[in-house]
Amino acid sequence: MKVTAVFDIGRTNKKYVLFDEKYQIVEEVTESLPETIDEDGFRTENIELLTEWVQERWTDLKNNPKYHIQAVNAAAYGASLVHLDASNKPVTPLYSYLKPLPDSLLSQFYSTHGDPTRIALQTGSPAMGMLNSGMQLYWLKYTKPDVYKKIVSSLHLPQYILYLLTGRKASDYTSLGCHTALWSFEMWDYHEWVKEEAIQKKLPPVLASSSFIYRDGEKSIQSGFGLHDSSAALVPYRMAVKTPFVLLSTGTWCINFNPFYSKPLTGNQLHQDCMNYLTPEGSGVTTSRLFMGKEHDFQVARIAEYFNQDADFYKRVVLNEEILKADTPPFYSACMTGNGPFPEPNTQEWQVSAFSSAEAAYHHLLKGLTDMLTVSLNLIGINEVQAIYIDGGFSKNEIFTRLVAHNFPEHKVYATDLPYATSLGAALHVTRPQSFEFLGEIKEVVGF
């Protein structure tokens, strides 16, 4: 069977997915690998185990007589770098993007390179410490100079996985353009601070092509260059949807993508958690974020405790329009200090006790979240597109999707079920079909 193989590396699950020529999944293998700690005791990915897992699974796949591998690509989480020495071995742990940066180093950086807001606007990257992966290289340069000198190549994680598969080193727009603070959206090149520090010399060249031919003995396999996972998940929508749209990728974070908004970021957008991404071709995507899943789970636990409900009670709640029309106290978030459209700390707590039932409280939790989401979407030019696609966990929540449709009556709103969007996007990008019809379930949603 002719297949396209995609290695899809998440923080929790590592998997490979095989697609047939019609992009149907024919095999999936998922495993969870134990984490390790770095030299400071901070938990992080075990790069040795991950390397071994990818290499072994790839060898098994290439030797499997059931499959003829026509193409391969990789997708992985962002803001993570693998630093290779002259022997192409990792010289550091795969540092977690949650690891804090020393305040003194940040002060040094901005005193040398200028105003934080200016740099953030130019790079489309709010200042987020190690989540700005360029700062990881700066941190190594000044806190571990002996280690930094040993680094010959620094690869973002998707490109490291691709290197393990093909031996090819490259940089990719999607990894450079996801809140890294490396890329200047004004100059469409590495930012001036990167060049002043000569950090770009550690990064392999960015290649304009979407694929190359990888030779494995007598076999020829078309290979991509690896993709950042969120950007890969956008690919199927960009290929299949012909009118301008915004994609809501929902989960712990709700990340809203508008590939059709071309204006430079403003200071106000930056303050309210907007940033820029890059498509695989290198064009800009404006995004906003909301810590919606985290807030949802935190408040659901409060509701369940107060009304003596089980943890999954909300899954049984059915939309009741009359509840949503009732006057209620304002919603105050608990998990969004420093992020989202209202980053200022809340001094008040959302009053669960003001509601007569768990059902009523849950309805108004979702109303509060969708009202915040509406602000996030207005920040990224929602009125310049015609459609809203809701992907991920919240796409299955009827109360949520109907509230979104209610808040945007002039838009077409669709709930989609595309559980392998990241893997599929990586497969599509390397094979580049001339036509592609959306393979998941699409349900148009109406308001009330």
Short mmCIF file of all heavy atoms in Angstrom, two decimals, residues 13 15 24 67 100 129 131 146 199 204 227 249 256 258 272 274 285 292-293 302 315 337 351 371 378 393 413 418:
data_model
loop_
_atom_site.label_atom_id
_atom_site.label_comp_id
_atom_site.label_asym_id
_atom_site.label_seq_id
_atom_site.Cartn_x
_atom_site.Cartn_y
_atom_site.Cartn_z
N ASN A 13 1.79 12.83 24.03
CA ASN A 13 1.77 11.65 23.18
C ASN A 13 2.68 11.82 21.96
O ASN A 13 2.69 12.87 21.33
CB ASN A 13 0.34 11.36 22.71
CG ASN A 13 -0.56 10.94 23.85
OD1 ASN A 13 -0.16 10.17 24.71
ND2 ASN A 13 -1.78 11.46 23.88
N LYS A 15 3.37 10.02 18.29
CA LYS A 15 2.70 9.07 17.41
C LYS A 15 3.21 9.20 15.99
O LYS A 15 3.81 10.21 15.61
CB LYS A 15 1.18 9.29 17.43
CG LYS A 15 0.70 10.62 16.88
CD LYS A 15 -0.81 10.75 17.08
CE LYS A 15 -1.31 12.11 16.62
NZ LYS A 15 -2.74 12.31 16.91
N GLN A 24 -6.99 8.82 4.00
CA GLN A 24 -7.62 8.08 5.08
C GLN A 24 -6.53 7.43 5.94
O GLN A 24 -5.50 7.00 5.42
CB GLN A 24 -8.54 6.99 4.52
CG GLN A 24 -9.66 7.51 3.64
CD GLN A 24 -10.70 8.28 4.41
OE1 GLN A 24 -10.93 8.03 5.59
NE2 GLN A 24 -11.36 9.23 3.75
N TYR A 67 3.90 -1.77 3.39
CA TYR A 67 3.79 -0.37 2.97
C TYR A 67 4.89 0.05 2.00
O TYR A 67 6.04 -0.37 2.13
CB TYR A 67 3.84 0.56 4.19
CG TYR A 67 2.76 0.29 5.20
CD1 TYR A 67 3.09 -0.04 6.51
CD2 TYR A 67 1.41 0.36 4.85
CE1 TYR A 67 2.10 -0.28 7.45
CE2 TYR A 67 0.41 0.12 5.78
CZ TYR A 67 0.76 -0.21 7.08
OH TYR A 67 -0.22 -0.46 8.00
N PRO A 100 11.83 29.16 33.65
CA PRO A 100 11.93 30.63 33.76
C PRO A 100 13.30 31.15 33.33
O PRO A 100 14.32 30.48 33.53
CB PRO A 100 11.67 30.89 35.25
CG PRO A 100 12.07 29.61 35.93
CD PRO A 100 11.76 28.50 34.97
N GLY A 129 9.35 34.91 27.85
CA GLY A 129 10.44 34.11 28.39
C GLY A 129 10.90 33.04 27.42
O GLY A 129 11.12 33.28 26.24
N LEU A 131 9.27 30.75 26.10
CA LEU A 131 8.34 30.53 25.00
C LEU A 131 8.76 31.31 23.75
O LEU A 131 8.35 30.97 22.65
CB LEU A 131 6.92 30.92 25.41
CG LEU A 131 6.06 29.79 25.99
CD1 LEU A 131 4.84 30.36 26.70
CD2 LEU A 131 5.64 28.81 24.91
N ASP A 146 30.43 28.01 27.27
CA ASP A 146 31.21 26.85 26.79
C ASP A 146 30.32 25.88 26.03
O ASP A 146 30.76 25.29 25.02
CB ASP A 146 31.87 26.14 27.97
CG ASP A 146 32.97 26.99 28.61
OD1 ASP A 146 33.47 27.92 27.93
OD2 ASP A 146 33.31 26.74 29.78
N ILE A 199 23.12 34.91 16.17
CA ILE A 199 22.41 33.67 16.50
C ILE A 199 21.94 32.95 15.25
O ILE A 199 21.85 31.71 15.22
CB ILE A 199 21.23 34.00 17.46
CG1 ILE A 199 21.77 34.13 18.89
CG2 ILE A 199 20.12 32.96 17.39
CD1 ILE A 199 20.76 34.55 19.91
N PRO A 204 19.93 26.48 10.68
CA PRO A 204 20.08 26.08 9.28
C PRO A 204 19.29 26.99 8.36
O PRO A 204 18.41 27.73 8.80
CB PRO A 204 19.51 24.64 9.27
CG PRO A 204 19.55 24.20 10.69
CD PRO A 204 19.34 25.43 11.51
N LEU A 227 6.78 20.76 10.44
CA LEU A 227 5.87 21.89 10.68
C LEU A 227 5.58 22.03 12.17
O LEU A 227 5.46 21.04 12.89
CB LEU A 227 4.54 21.69 9.94
CG LEU A 227 4.57 21.64 8.41
CD1 LEU A 227 3.19 21.25 7.89
CD2 LEU A 227 4.99 22.98 7.84
N SER A 249 -8.99 27.02 17.15
CA SER A 249 -8.41 25.75 17.56
C SER A 249 -8.54 25.66 19.07
O SER A 249 -7.81 26.32 19.81
CB SER A 249 -6.95 25.67 17.13
OG SER A 249 -6.37 24.45 17.53
N ASN A 256 -6.90 31.43 18.02
CA ASN A 256 -7.73 31.87 16.91
C ASN A 256 -6.83 32.34 15.78
O ASN A 256 -6.04 33.27 15.96
CB ASN A 256 -8.65 33.00 17.36
CG ASN A 256 -9.35 32.68 18.67
OD1 ASN A 256 -10.01 31.66 18.78
ND2 ASN A 256 -9.17 33.53 19.68
N ASN A 258 -6.36 33.91 11.97
CA ASN A 258 -6.91 34.62 10.82
C ASN A 258 -5.82 34.75 9.76
O ASN A 258 -4.98 35.66 9.82
CB ASN A 258 -7.43 36.00 11.20
CG ASN A 258 -8.17 36.67 10.04
OD1 ASN A 258 -8.10 36.20 8.91
ND2 ASN A 258 -8.86 37.75 10.32
N GLN A 272 -3.25 42.52 24.54
CA GLN A 272 -4.40 41.62 24.72
C GLN A 272 -4.16 40.24 24.11
O GLN A 272 -5.08 39.56 23.70
CB GLN A 272 -5.66 42.28 24.13
CG GLN A 272 -6.07 43.53 24.91
CD GLN A 272 -7.34 44.15 24.37
OE1 GLN A 272 -7.32 44.91 23.40
NE2 GLN A 272 -8.46 43.83 25.00
N CYS A 274 -2.41 39.02 21.41
CA CYS A 274 -2.36 38.69 19.98
C CYS A 274 -0.91 38.52 19.56
O CYS A 274 0.00 39.11 20.16
CB CYS A 274 -3.00 39.80 19.15
SG CYS A 274 -4.75 40.07 19.49
N VAL A 285 0.10 35.11 9.60
CA VAL A 285 -1.19 34.73 10.17
C VAL A 285 -1.32 35.46 11.50
O VAL A 285 -0.46 35.32 12.38
CB VAL A 285 -1.30 33.21 10.40
CG1 VAL A 285 -2.65 32.85 11.02
CG2 VAL A 285 -1.07 32.44 9.11
N MET A 292 -9.03 29.29 27.49
CA MET A 292 -10.43 28.93 27.67
C MET A 292 -10.62 27.56 28.30
O MET A 292 -11.45 27.37 29.19
CB MET A 292 -11.15 29.00 26.32
CG MET A 292 -12.64 28.96 26.41
SD MET A 292 -13.39 29.44 24.85
CE MET A 292 -12.93 28.05 23.80
N GLY A 293 -9.87 26.57 27.84
CA GLY A 293 -10.02 25.24 28.39
C GLY A 293 -9.62 25.17 29.84
O GLY A 293 -10.28 24.51 30.67
N ARG A 302 -15.41 24.04 40.41
CA ARG A 302 -16.07 24.84 41.44
C ARG A 302 -17.58 24.60 41.44
O ARG A 302 -18.20 24.46 42.50
CB ARG A 302 -15.79 26.33 41.21
CG ARG A 302 -14.37 26.76 41.46
CD ARG A 302 -14.24 28.27 41.28
NE ARG A 302 -14.99 28.98 42.31
CZ ARG A 302 -15.66 30.11 42.11
NH1 ARG A 302 -15.67 30.68 40.91
NH2 ARG A 302 -16.31 30.69 43.10
N LYS A 315 -21.25 17.51 30.84
CA LYS A 315 -21.45 16.81 29.57
C LYS A 315 -22.92 16.44 29.34
O LYS A 315 -23.31 16.12 28.22
CB LYS A 315 -20.57 15.56 29.53
CG LYS A 315 -19.08 15.85 29.57
CD LYS A 315 -18.25 14.59 29.58
CE LYS A 315 -16.76 14.91 29.64
NZ LYS A 315 -15.93 13.67 29.70
N THR A 337 -4.89 35.84 34.29
CA THR A 337 -4.01 36.96 34.62
C THR A 337 -2.76 36.89 33.74
O THR A 337 -2.09 35.86 33.67
CB THR A 337 -3.60 36.91 36.09
OG1 THR A 337 -4.78 37.06 36.90
CG2 THR A 337 -2.63 38.04 36.42
N GLN A 351 -19.19 34.38 41.16
CA GLN A 351 -20.01 33.87 42.26
C GLN A 351 -20.88 32.70 41.81
O GLN A 351 -21.98 32.88 41.28
CB GLN A 351 -20.88 35.00 42.83
CG GLN A 351 -20.11 36.12 43.47
CD GLN A 351 -19.22 35.63 44.61
OE1 GLN A 351 -19.70 34.92 45.51
NE2 GLN A 351 -17.96 36.00 44.58
N ASP A 371 -18.20 35.44 25.53
CA ASP A 371 -18.12 36.91 25.47
C ASP A 371 -16.66 37.36 25.45
O ASP A 371 -16.30 38.30 24.73
CB ASP A 371 -18.85 37.53 26.66
CG ASP A 371 -20.37 37.47 26.51
OD1 ASP A 371 -20.84 37.16 25.39
OD2 ASP A 371 -21.07 37.70 27.51
N ASN A 378 -12.61 39.88 17.72
CA ASN A 378 -12.66 41.23 17.16
C ASN A 378 -11.27 41.85 17.04
O ASN A 378 -11.04 42.71 16.19
CB ASN A 378 -13.56 42.12 18.03
CG ASN A 378 -15.04 41.86 17.78
OD1 ASN A 378 -15.44 41.59 16.65
ND2 ASN A 378 -15.85 41.93 18.81
N GLY A 393 -11.76 20.34 21.06
CA GLY A 393 -12.69 19.85 22.07
C GLY A 393 -13.99 20.61 22.18
O GLY A 393 -15.07 20.02 22.33
N VAL A 413 -21.04 29.84 10.80
CA VAL A 413 -20.29 29.20 11.88
C VAL A 413 -20.39 27.69 11.70
O VAL A 413 -21.49 27.15 11.52
CB VAL A 413 -20.82 29.62 13.27
CG1 VAL A 413 -20.07 28.89 14.38
CG2 VAL A 413 -20.70 31.13 13.45
N LEU A 418 -12.22 17.06 13.10
CA LEU A 418 -11.03 16.66 12.36
C LEU A 418 -9.95 16.30 13.38
O LEU A 418 -9.03 17.08 13.64
CB LEU A 418 -10.57 17.78 11.43
CG LEU A 418 -9.52 17.44 10.39
CD1 LEU A 418 -10.05 16.39 9.41
CD2 LEU A 418 -9.11 18.69 9.62
#
